[in-house]
Amino acid sequence: MRPRVFVPAELPRDCLQRLEAVADLSLRTEQLPPSEDEMLRRLPGHDACIPLLTYPMTRQVLETASASPDHPLKLVAQVAVGIDNIDLDATRQLGIPVAHTPGVLTEATADLTMALMLATTRRIVEADRFLRDGSWSHWSLHLLSGLQLQGARLGILGLGRIGTAVARRARAFGMKILFTTEGEVPEDVVRELEAERRTLPQLLAESDVLTVHAPLTDSTHHILDRDALFAMKEGAYLVNTARGGLVDETVLAEALEDGPLAGVGLDVYADEPSVPASLVGRDDIVLLPHIGSSTVHTRHRMASMAVDAVVAWANNEPVPHLFRD
Ligand code: DGY
């Protein structure tokens, strides 16, 4: 019997053709993410699902789909490296493997992190607005001046694949790398980056720019809470291209207004696509709509990797890119 695969998001044509060769597909054409109710209605009866990072793969959805009599759910192949939308305790208990897309979006996300870092520290968006609204009347010595990256200290919270790729780029800008991370970092990477390890409190106190590259888990949720944000160096900048839930975004405006922060660059939010009103009106925050990995090449590779996993599974071959914790 051919497996049935639920494809709840638009995938590139060549990816669909590869899937059609091995499975019967149920395509969902709506653009907005499905609600949990919709997933509960539409996922059961499929052996595999290819969700995006905003699709609710909750315990209830997973349990209901895996209890389906004819085609219980057997594989989730997510088109993202982050999998915090998937209840991993439930997939473990139900024995449903989860594939994702590690590695492929490292360089694109690191590029976007640098772009956001530059936009924030050099006030690029604010300067563009200033010019367009007719405020530019003359050149002056301190007009829209910001932080010089050369010689500044970059604190990296999470020195994994993306954190390391950001560090390599930042070194080319003359930044000094400090980091805090769970687990070991290979010696040769630390040597190459001339990076220095710090505790989180030290990192907060010493970094001119802090960039976040940790996964969102129970232990990292709000790792940058009010206390942490207020413990940052005076005049520091914060950049987050990882997950919104790592930072308590409700206190960011206060940390800019009354605390040490000089600027913030965000690509991710706790409850996307909603962005707290306290952030939207501010010139000292650059806000992007979660486009870290959004190059044509990378987004195609992400879809293709998720499809690789489903095709291999349908052919009874070892499933590549499985998430392992
Ligand atoms: C991911 O894959 O987790 C990224 O956030 C997508 O850009």
Side-chain angles (χ1 to χ4, degrees), residues 126-147:
E126 182 187 353
D128 179 273
R129 280 194 210 112
F130 175 84
L131 181 149
R132 286 174 201 260
D133 74 13
S135 301
W136 190 27
S137 58
H138 60 285
W139 191 93
S140 68
L141 203 51
H142 301 297
L143 180 66
L144 289 160
S145 53
L147 176 78

Side-chain angles (χ1 to χ4, degrees), residues 53 80-82 105 243 290 293 299 302:
L53 57 87
V81 64
L105 46 81
R243 282 293 182 268
H290 203 149
S293 61
R299 288 283 165 90
M302 288 164 68

Side-chain angles (χ1 to χ4, degrees), residues 129-209:
R129 280 194 210 112
F130 175 84
L131 181 149
R132 286 174 201 260
D133 74 13
S135 301
W136 190 27
S137 58
H138 60 285
W139 191 93
S140 68
L141 203 51
H142 301 297
L143 180 66
L144 289 160
S145 53
L147 176 78
Q148 178 144 325
L149 292 189
Q150 205 245 340
R153 294 175 154 221
L154 177 63
I156 300 187
L157 177 44
L159 193 67
R161 278 183 295 260
I162 297 173
T164 301
V166 170
R168 292 198 171 110
R169 285 157 173 76
R171 294 260 299 154
F173 280 80
M175 300 185 86
K176 164 85 195 145
I177 309 299
L178 310 175
F179 70 97
T180 188
T181 201
E182 265 199 15
E184 291 308 307
V185 178
E187 265 303 310
D188 55 330
V189 172
V190 175
R191 219 174 308 117
E192 173 207 331
L193 299 173
E194 297 183 69
E196 292 177 21
R197 193 169 195 131
R198 295 285 190 269
T199 63
L200 180 57
Q202 289 167 338
L203 195 79
L204 298 172
E206 292 179 38
S207 302
D208 299 298
V209 181

Side-chain angles (χ1 to χ4, degrees), residues 6-12 16 27-30 50-52 55 79:
F6 185 41
V7 185
E10 194 181 342
L11 295 185
L16 287 179
L27 303 180
R28 176 180 178 275
T29 52
E30 294 88 332
I50 308 182
L52 302 187
Y55 293 13
V79 187

